[in-house]
Amino acid sequence: MSVTVLFVALVVFAFFAAHLINRYASRFLPISGAEYLVIGALIGPQIPTSVLTQDSLSKLTPLVSLLLGLSGFLVGIQATRGFRDVRASLVGGAVAVSTLLGLAALFAAAYGWLVPVRSAPLLQLWLFELNEFQVELFLTRPQVAVSVVLAATATITFSAALSGLAVERLASLSQFRLLRSVAFYGQWLAICSVAAVLAWTRSRAATMVALPAGGWFAAVLALGVVIGVCFTLFIGHEQSAARIFVATVGTVTFGAGVGAELGVSPIFVNLVTGATVALTSNPRGNLENELARLQHPISVLLLLLIGALWVPPEHSLLWLFPPVYLVGRWLARMTIPWLWVRLLTPVDPSRIGVGLLSQGTLAVAVALDYTLQAPEHAGLVLTTAILGTLAFDVFAHRALQRYLIDAEAEDARALPPSWVRSEGDA
């Protein structure tokens, strides 16, 4: 089957499945969108009656890179929104960094326990002696890479779950602004962390261009900025939504293709491109409106393809990693945001973590972004990211809605309507 026919069939199947799920399954189960991962796995090559073979998926690799690039561009184009509230920005940045570091340490320990050592140590440091046992810090390169990527995946909160709510009504809530800030900084830090890991991996590969990890990261960063500036110069003062849209798709396609060809992150290239466009381009509002309509179909197609690309872990012991991920991420969400909100804001921190459980498409997209360049870790990373996203997203949306309803009710009691205040003042 040709790639064109396969792509058309996949698009038709995706939206037909979406219609059936929303019409029938939503009556019995909470629908979050992550269910498309399961549908993708059922039509992938791991199932005997697979619709998509391994050869078919390899032909769709450019489409996967394009969808990853569009996901990064959608995050980057919102760059100017994340810095408007200084206190919320401090909380968002602190929560993102603390979550990444804490979970990276946990996942590194789990990896060292579950995966046999097959490579020379990157770091081996004696710490102390306990009851005649020598306690050492032992890290390998695969251990560091996988633990950072999974910690980055866990750091992501699905901001579209927040954007899909009544933003105008909730924008005055401190809790809502904090949630959006944590989601924004978590997404940026996660994408940048995976890009740094890929740059580090690329610096170790035997290529014609010998650059250190920092050099590769800086080169990819500069590439994204150059593409974004070229887009701005090309568009100029153009206001036609159709022309802006076509130029955007072409720009993202070029950035994703270059990123994939270089063996770095297509998401990161287009994240930087989108942020550059947001900071330099006049028709940003038109562009955001046009791209907003694409967000759902992009998510559906990307989730289907990620599910189809799933491969099981190479040995049974690695199936213990998803439970470690679920427990570790839940504990991190229940404790770290509580701590920083309590330290930096007057907001009640007791349930803030409930609003940060949702994962969404970007979490598994970041995991796929890494495994496309490191297929030897695809079983562990994709399995953990997919199961984690499915588990959290089934319940997270309703938990978020209940939290915001309660926060809105508390805000209404604390600040009565203006006519009540006026009557009391009179």
Side-chain angles (χ1 to χ4, degrees):
M1 184 182 296
S2 68
V3 177
T4 303
V5 175
L6 186 63
F7 172 69
V8 173
L10 184 62
V11 171
V12 172
F13 173 79
F15 290 98
F16 181 71
H19 174 73
L20 291 179
I21 288 175
N22 290 328
R23 183 171 181 178
Y24 297 107
S26 59
R27 301 176 183 177
F28 310 101
L29 296 170
I31 301 300
S32 65
E35 296 79 13
Y36 295 110
L37 290 167
V38 178
I39 298 174
L42 292 176
I43 64 174
Q46 301 302 321
I47 304 299
T49 58
S50 59
V51 176
L52 295 174
T53 63
Q54 199 66 49
D55 182 61
S56 300
L57 287 173
S58 65
K59 293 178 180 178
L60 289 172
T61 300
L63 173 62
V64 175
S65 297
L66 172 60
L67 293 173
L68 290 175
L70 284 169
S71 299
F73 193 86
L74 286 168
V75 176
I77 200 67
Q78 303 174 34
T80 56
R81 296 182 179 180
F83 308 102
R84 297 175 182 175
D85 189 327
V86 175
R87 184 171 291 183
S89 296
L90 289 174
V91 173
V95 170
V97 172
S98 302
T99 302
L100 180 73
L101 294 177
L103 290 179
L106 173 64
F107 296 152
Y111 187 96
W113 176 52
L114 294 173
V115 181
V117 178
R118 297 175 182 173
S119 58
L122 174 67
L123 175 65
Q124 187 172 9
L125 179 65
W126 181 86
L127 297 178
F128 56 87
E129 183 176 343
L130 180 64
N131 294 332
E132 299 182 356
F133 289 96
Q134 302 292 327
V135 180
E136 293 183 335
L137 176 62
F138 186 90
L139 294 173
T140 62
R141 292 186 182 276
Q143 183 181 8
V144 172
V146 170
S147 61
V148 170
V149 170
L150 287 177
T153 301
T155 303
I156 291 176
T157 294
F158 189 31
S159 64
L162 299 169
S163 301
L165 299 170
V167 177
E168 295 80 7
R169 192 185 80 237
L170 297 172
S172 61
L173 287 179
S174 300
Q175 294 91 333
F176 182 74
R177 294 197 300 271
L178 286 172
L179 292 178
R180 294 195 72 177
S181 179
V182 173
F184 173 83
Y185 284 96
Q187 290 178 352
W188 271 76
L189 181 63
I191 294 173
C192 293
S193 298
V194 173
V197 171
L198 287 175
W200 181 48
T201 304
R202 186 65 173 165
S203 68
R204 304 291 302 174
T207 60
M208 296 179 61
V209 180
L211 288 175
W216 275 107
F217 188 85
V220 176
L221 179 66
L223 174 65
V225 172
V226 170
I227 295 174
V229 171
C230 290
F231 174 88
T232 300
L233 294 175
F234 177 76
I235 290 295
H237 297 286
E238 178 65 57
Q239 295 297 322
S240 171
R243 294 180 181 179
I244 293 173
F245 177 77
V246 172
T248 302
V249 173
T251 300
V252 173
T253 303
F254 177 74
V258 172
E261 187 65 27
L262 291 176
V264 293
S265 170
I267 294 184
F268 180 69
V269 173
N270 283 287
L271 173 81
V272 178
T273 300
T276 304
V277 170
L279 295 171
T280 60
S281 180
N282 290 326
R284 185 179 67 251
N286 293 338
L287 180 57
E288 286 189 73
N289 294 333
E290 288 296 316
L291 291 178
R293 297 188 298 174
L294 283 179
Q295 188 157 17
H296 179 67
I298 289 172
S299 296
V300 170
L301 282 174
L302 192 51
L303 289 171
L304 281 172
L305 288 170
I306 292 173
L309 288 166
W310 169 76
V311 292
E314 58 183 359
H315 57 82
S316 57
L317 197 60
L318 292 182
W319 282 100
L320 294 175
F321 219 102
V324 174
Y325 178 93
L326 292 174
V327 174
R329 185 174 188 272
W330 184 83
L331 288 174
R333 283 300 185 223
M334 294 301 106
T335 56
I336 294 175
W338 177 91
L339 174 63
W340 287 110
V341 170
R342 184 179 181 85
L343 289 175
L344 300 177
T345 73
V347 175
D348 178 15
S350 57
R351 294 174 56 206
I352 191 74
V354 172
L356 298 169
L357 292 176
S358 179
Q359 290 258 256
T361 305
L362 189 63
V364 285
V366 163
L368 179 66
D369 191 32
Y370 171 73
T371 57
L372 286 177
Q373 307 301 330
E376 66 275 12
H377 299 138
L380 173 59
V381 173
L382 280 183
T383 300
T384 303
I386 288 173
L387 291 180
T389 299
L390 284 169
F392 282 115
D393 281 14
V394 167
F395 306 102
H397 290 286
R398 290 186 178 179
L400 170 62
Q401 290 175 352
R402 287 194 298 268
Y403 171 72
L404 289 175
I405 288 172
D406 294 342
E408 197 173 14
E410 292 174 6
D411 186 69
R413 287 194 297 267
L415 296 172
S418 56
W419 61 271
V420 174
R421 293 197 299 270
S422 299
E423 183 179 359
D425 293 339

